[in-house]
Protein backbone atom coordinates (compact mmCIF):
# COMPACT_ATOMS: atom_id res chain seq x y z
CA UNK A 1 0.00 0.00 0.00
CA UNK A 2 1.25 3.48 -0.83
CA UNK A 3 1.67 6.36 1.56
CA UNK A 4 -1.70 7.94 2.38
CA UNK A 5 -2.27 11.64 1.72
CA UNK A 6 -2.42 12.34 5.44
CA UNK A 7 0.80 10.47 6.15
CA UNK A 8 2.53 12.26 3.32
CA UNK A 9 1.64 15.71 4.61
CA UNK A 10 2.59 14.68 8.12
CA UNK A 11 6.04 13.56 7.03
CA UNK A 12 6.58 16.66 4.87
CA UNK A 13 5.62 18.89 7.81
CA UNK A 14 8.03 16.99 10.01
CA UNK A 15 10.87 17.47 7.56
CA UNK A 16 10.22 21.21 7.31
CA UNK A 17 10.17 21.61 11.09
CA UNK A 18 13.43 19.68 11.37
CA UNK A 19 15.11 21.82 8.71
CA UNK A 20 13.92 25.01 10.44
CA UNK A 21 15.51 23.92 13.70
CA UNK A 22 18.70 22.93 11.90
CA UNK A 23 19.09 26.31 10.22
CA UNK A 24 18.55 28.13 13.53
CA UNK A 25 21.74 26.68 15.01
CA UNK A 26 24.83 28.57 13.81
CA UNK A 27 27.36 26.22 12.21
CA UNK A 28 30.30 27.93 13.91
CA UNK A 29 29.24 26.39 17.24
CA UNK A 30 29.99 22.97 15.84
CA UNK A 31 33.25 22.56 14.05
CA UNK A 32 35.62 20.91 16.42
CA UNK A 33 34.55 17.28 16.92
CA UNK A 34 37.74 15.23 17.16
CA UNK A 35 36.78 12.06 15.32
CA UNK A 36 40.19 10.30 15.62
CA UNK A 37 40.18 10.73 19.41
CA UNK A 38 36.59 9.49 19.80
CA UNK A 39 37.12 6.45 17.58
CA UNK A 40 40.49 5.36 19.02
CA UNK A 41 40.18 1.89 20.51
CA UNK A 42 42.78 2.14 23.29
CA UNK A 43 43.28 4.69 26.05
CA UNK A 44 46.83 5.50 24.86
CA UNK A 45 45.68 6.04 21.26
CA UNK A 46 42.76 8.23 22.36
CA UNK A 47 45.04 10.39 24.51
CA UNK A 48 47.56 10.72 21.67
CA UNK A 49 44.81 11.67 19.19
CA UNK A 50 43.40 14.25 21.59
CA UNK A 51 46.54 15.78 23.07
CA UNK A 52 49.56 14.62 21.05
CA UNK A 53 52.38 13.64 23.37
CA UNK A 54 52.06 16.22 26.13
CA UNK A 55 53.72 15.21 29.41
CA UNK A 56 51.33 13.66 31.95
CA UNK A 57 51.61 14.11 35.70
CA UNK A 58 49.53 12.35 38.38
CA UNK A 59 47.51 14.92 40.34
CA UNK A 60 45.52 15.07 43.56
CA UNK A 61 43.92 18.35 42.45
CA UNK A 62 41.25 16.58 40.38
CA UNK A 63 38.19 15.20 42.15
CA UNK A 64 36.19 12.40 40.53
CA UNK A 65 32.86 11.62 42.15
CA UNK A 66 31.32 8.35 41.05
CA UNK A 67 29.72 5.33 42.66
CA UNK A 68 32.14 2.66 43.89
CA UNK A 69 29.84 0.00 42.44
CA UNK A 70 27.60 0.70 39.45
CA UNK A 71 24.76 -1.81 39.19
CA UNK A 72 24.08 -0.75 35.62
CA UNK A 73 26.98 0.19 33.37
CA UNK A 74 24.58 1.95 30.99
CA UNK A 75 24.21 4.90 33.40
CA UNK A 76 27.20 5.67 35.59
CA UNK A 77 26.92 9.16 37.12
CA UNK A 78 30.27 10.96 37.26
CA UNK A 79 31.17 14.44 38.51
CA UNK A 80 34.57 16.00 37.90
CA UNK A 81 36.07 19.12 39.43
CA UNK A 82 39.58 20.51 39.57
CA UNK A 83 41.49 23.24 41.37
CA UNK A 84 44.37 23.21 38.85
CA UNK A 85 45.09 26.83 37.85
CA UNK A 86 44.68 27.62 34.17
CA UNK A 87 42.76 24.44 33.33
CA UNK A 88 41.62 24.72 29.70
CA UNK A 89 40.22 21.27 29.00
CA UNK A 90 38.88 18.25 30.88
CA UNK A 91 38.57 14.84 29.20
CA UNK A 92 36.89 11.74 30.61
CA UNK A 93 37.87 8.23 29.56
CA UNK A 94 36.42 4.84 30.48
CA UNK A 95 39.44 2.61 30.06
CA UNK A 96 37.74 -0.66 29.07
CA UNK A 97 35.24 0.81 26.60
CA UNK A 98 35.56 -0.01 22.92
CA UNK A 99 36.17 3.71 22.37
CA UNK A 100 37.66 4.95 25.67
CA UNK A 101 37.17 8.72 25.18
CA UNK A 102 33.70 9.52 26.53
CA UNK A 103 33.60 13.31 26.61
CA UNK A 104 35.86 16.34 26.43
CA UNK A 105 35.00 19.73 27.89
CA UNK A 106 36.65 23.01 26.91
CA UNK A 107 36.82 25.27 29.96
CA UNK A 108 35.50 28.56 28.55
CA UNK A 109 36.57 31.85 30.22
CA UNK A 110 33.40 32.09 32.36
CA UNK A 111 32.97 28.36 32.95
CA UNK A 112 33.92 26.72 36.24
CA UNK A 113 36.02 23.53 36.01
CA UNK A 114 33.19 21.45 37.44
CA UNK A 115 31.09 19.15 35.21
CA UNK A 116 28.78 16.16 35.60
CA UNK A 117 27.52 13.58 33.15
CA UNK A 118 26.35 9.98 32.89
CA UNK A 119 28.49 7.55 30.98
CA UNK A 120 28.51 3.97 29.76
CA UNK A 121 30.99 1.47 31.11
CA UNK A 122 31.50 -1.87 29.36
CA UNK A 123 32.78 -3.51 32.55
CA UNK A 124 34.66 -2.85 35.79
CA UNK A 125 37.39 -0.39 34.85
CA UNK A 126 39.16 2.83 35.62
CA UNK A 127 37.62 6.17 34.87
CA UNK A 128 40.57 8.28 33.77
CA UNK A 129 40.32 12.07 33.86
CA UNK A 130 42.88 14.30 32.18
CA UNK A 131 43.04 18.05 32.76
CA UNK A 132 45.04 20.22 30.41
CA UNK A 133 46.70 23.34 31.81
CA UNK A 134 49.33 25.08 29.75
CA UNK A 135 51.24 22.47 27.79
CA UNK A 136 50.81 19.83 30.44
CA UNK A 137 48.29 17.14 31.37
CA UNK A 138 47.25 16.17 34.88
CA UNK A 139 45.71 12.77 35.54
CA UNK A 140 43.50 11.22 38.19
CA UNK A 141 42.07 7.70 38.06
CA UNK A 142 39.12 6.16 39.87
CA UNK A 143 37.90 2.59 39.58
CA UNK A 144 34.21 1.78 39.20
CA UNK A 145 33.02 -1.80 39.67
CA UNK A 146 30.31 -2.58 37.13
CA UNK A 147 27.77 -5.35 37.79
CA UNK A 148 26.10 -5.33 34.34
CA UNK A 149 28.00 -3.86 31.40
CA UNK A 150 26.39 -0.92 29.62
CA UNK A 151 27.66 -1.01 26.08
CA UNK A 152 25.31 -3.66 24.69
CA UNK A 153 26.13 -6.28 22.08
CA UNK B 1 15.56 19.09 25.80
CA UNK B 2 15.00 20.03 29.43
CA UNK B 3 17.12 22.78 30.95
CA UNK B 4 17.28 23.97 34.53
CA UNK B 5 19.45 27.06 35.10
CA UNK B 6 19.66 28.46 38.62
CA UNK B 7 21.60 31.57 39.67
CA UNK B 8 23.12 32.00 43.10
CA UNK B 9 25.80 34.56 44.01
CA UNK B 10 26.73 35.29 40.38
CA UNK B 11 27.22 31.57 39.61
CA UNK B 12 24.70 29.85 37.34
CA UNK B 13 24.29 26.07 37.70
CA UNK B 14 22.91 24.47 34.56
CA UNK B 15 21.45 20.98 34.26
CA UNK B 16 20.52 19.63 30.84
CA UNK B 17 18.59 16.51 29.94
CA UNK B 18 18.49 15.69 26.22
CA UNK B 19 16.27 13.00 24.72
CA UNK B 20 18.52 11.09 22.35
CA UNK B 21 19.05 7.41 21.43
CA UNK B 22 22.87 7.68 21.65
CA UNK B 23 23.31 4.55 19.54
CA UNK B 24 26.94 3.47 19.80
CA UNK B 25 27.04 1.78 16.41
CA UNK B 26 28.00 -1.50 18.10
CA UNK B 27 24.62 -2.71 19.42
CA UNK B 28 22.78 -5.49 17.61
CA UNK B 29 19.01 -5.52 17.21
CA UNK B 30 16.74 -8.59 17.67
CA UNK B 31 17.60 -9.87 14.20
CA UNK B 32 21.36 -9.68 14.87
CA UNK B 33 21.91 -6.66 12.65
CA UNK B 34 24.20 -3.86 13.88
CA UNK B 35 22.22 -0.72 14.69
CA UNK B 36 24.00 2.21 12.97
CA UNK B 37 25.73 4.72 15.23
CA UNK B 38 23.70 7.84 16.05
CA UNK B 39 24.93 9.97 18.90
CA UNK B 40 25.38 13.58 19.95
CA UNK B 41 28.87 14.85 19.13
CA UNK B 42 28.81 18.41 20.46
CA UNK B 43 26.92 20.48 23.01
CA UNK B 44 27.41 24.17 23.63
CA UNK B 45 25.80 26.93 25.67
CA UNK B 46 25.55 30.64 24.89
CA UNK B 47 24.89 33.45 27.36
CA UNK B 48 24.83 37.11 26.23
CA UNK B 49 26.45 36.19 22.93
CA UNK B 50 29.34 34.36 24.56
CA UNK B 51 30.02 30.62 24.60
CA UNK B 52 30.05 29.60 28.27
CA UNK B 53 30.10 25.83 27.75
CA UNK B 54 31.53 23.63 25.02
CA UNK B 55 31.69 19.84 25.07
CA UNK B 56 32.52 17.09 22.60
CA UNK B 57 30.76 13.78 23.26
CA UNK B 58 31.25 10.27 21.97
CA UNK B 59 29.20 7.07 22.00
CA UNK B 60 30.31 6.43 25.60
CA UNK B 61 27.80 8.97 26.88
CA UNK B 62 24.62 7.34 28.20
CA UNK B 63 21.30 7.35 26.35
CA UNK B 64 19.28 10.53 27.03
CA UNK B 65 22.37 12.50 28.06
CA UNK B 66 22.44 14.36 31.35
CA UNK B 67 25.05 17.11 31.59
CA UNK B 68 25.63 19.66 34.34
CA UNK B 69 28.01 22.63 34.40
CA UNK B 70 28.44 26.03 36.02
CA UNK B 71 29.41 29.47 34.77
CA UNK B 72 29.88 32.91 36.28
CA UNK B 73 28.40 36.29 35.37
CA UNK B 74 24.78 35.24 34.90
CA UNK B 75 21.69 36.57 36.68
CA UNK B 76 18.04 35.66 37.23
CA UNK B 77 15.83 36.51 34.24
CA UNK B 78 18.59 36.29 31.64
CA UNK B 79 18.54 33.73 28.84
CA UNK B 80 20.83 30.77 28.26
CA UNK B 81 20.72 28.89 24.94
CA UNK B 82 21.80 25.28 24.65
CA UNK B 83 22.55 23.69 21.27
CA UNK B 84 23.61 20.24 20.20
CA UNK B 85 24.44 18.42 16.99
CA UNK B 86 24.60 14.67 16.42
CA UNK B 87 26.54 12.32 14.14
CA UNK B 88 23.76 12.39 11.52
CA UNK B 89 23.57 16.19 11.43
CA UNK B 90 20.47 16.35 13.66
CA UNK B 91 20.43 19.41 15.87
CA UNK B 92 18.36 21.19 18.48
CA UNK B 93 18.56 24.60 20.18
CA UNK B 94 16.57 25.49 23.27
CA UNK B 95 16.46 28.71 25.28
CA UNK B 96 15.88 28.79 29.01
CA UNK B 97 15.44 31.65 31.47
CA UNK B 98 17.77 31.62 34.46
CA UNK B 99 15.75 31.34 37.67
CA UNK B 100 16.39 31.95 41.37
CA UNK B 101 17.17 29.23 43.91
Amino acid sequence: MGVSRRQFFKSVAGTIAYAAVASAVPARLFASWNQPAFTSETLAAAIAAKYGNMPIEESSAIQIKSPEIAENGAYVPVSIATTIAGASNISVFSEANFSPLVASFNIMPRMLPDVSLRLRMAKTANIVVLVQAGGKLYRTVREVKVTIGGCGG
Amino acid sequence: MKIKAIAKDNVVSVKILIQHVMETGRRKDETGKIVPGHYITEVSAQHKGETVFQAELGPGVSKDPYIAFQFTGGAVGETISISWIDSKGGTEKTDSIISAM
Side-chain angles (χ1 to χ4, degrees):
Chain A
M1 205 185 88
V3 175
S4 77
R5 207 178 107 99
R6 183 172 295 176
Q7 269 172 346
F8 173 76
F9 282 113
K10 229 172 146 180
S11 81
V12 168
T15 309
I16 290 166
Y18 197 63
V21 171
S23 65
V25 179
R28 63 175 173 81
L29 299 178
F30 305 117
S32 62
W33 195 63
N34 187 334
Q35 183 172 12
F38 280 100
T39 51
S40 293
E41 294 175 11
T42 65
L43 178 62
I47 292 172
K50 175 69 191 169
Y51 297 109
N53 51 5
M54 277 185 212
I56 302 177
E57 186 180 298
E58 300 303 321
S59 174
S60 57
I62 303 167
Q63 294 79 45
I64 306 176
K65 259 200 255 171
S66 62
E68 228 166 273
I69 299 174
E71 302 246 320
N72 183 355
Y75 294 95
V76 183
V78 177
S79 293
I80 299 142
T82 181
T83 52
I84 294 169
S88 58
N89 178 271
I90 297 175
S91 288
V92 189
F93 303 82
S94 172
E95 203 169 359
N97 282 15
F98 189 82
S99 308
L101 178 55
V102 174
S104 186
F105 303 91
N106 289 332
I107 309 301
M108 307 309 287
R110 285 202 276 136
M111 185 180 154
L112 301 180
D114 185 332
V115 292
S116 300
L117 74 163
R118 289 187 308 207
L119 50 87
R120 293 185 164 114
M121 294 187 74
K123 56 183 178 185
T124 295
N126 285 327
I127 289 177
V128 178
V129 173
L130 292 181
V131 173
Q132 182 188 351
K136 224 169 154 185
L137 295 173
Y138 298 86
R139 172 170 58 197
T140 298
V141 170
R142 184 177 156 83
E143 192 194 53
V144 176
K145 291 188 171 65
V146 175
T147 314
I148 304 167
C151 288
Chain B
M1 169 163 40
K2 283 183 191 159
I3 304 165
K4 203 179 210 181
I6 292 168
K8 193 196 171 196
D9 303 334
N10 196 40
V11 174
V12 181
S13 298
V14 184
K15 292 175 180 174
I16 312 166
L17 198 57
I18 305 169
Q19 264 188 16
H20 199 283
V21 289
M22 295 301 283
E23 280 293 352
T24 62
R26 300 191 51 78
R27 193 176 68 86
K28 287 178 183 151
D29 65 16
E30 319 77 60
T31 64
K33 271 202 342 205
I34 297 266
V35 180
H38 184 202
Y39 49 88
I40 293 173
T41 53
E42 289 176 63
V43 180
S44 75
Q46 275 66 44
H47 173 255
K48 291 187 169 174
E50 190 183 336
T51 300
V52 291
F53 176 79
Q54 197 175 59
E56 291 175 66
L57 311 185
V61 173
S62 303
K63 183 185 171 185
D64 296 335
Y66 166 80
I67 295 168
F69 65 93
Q70 298 172 38
F71 69 94
T72 59
V76 174
E78 294 172 353
T79 300
I80 179 163
S81 305
I82 314 279
S83 313
W84 58 257
I85 188 166
D86 69 25
S87 56
K88 289 185 175 177
T91 176
E92 184 185 6
K93 177 174 177 277
T94 301
D95 291 349
S96 179
I97 305 289
I98 299 168
S99 61
M101 271 289 262

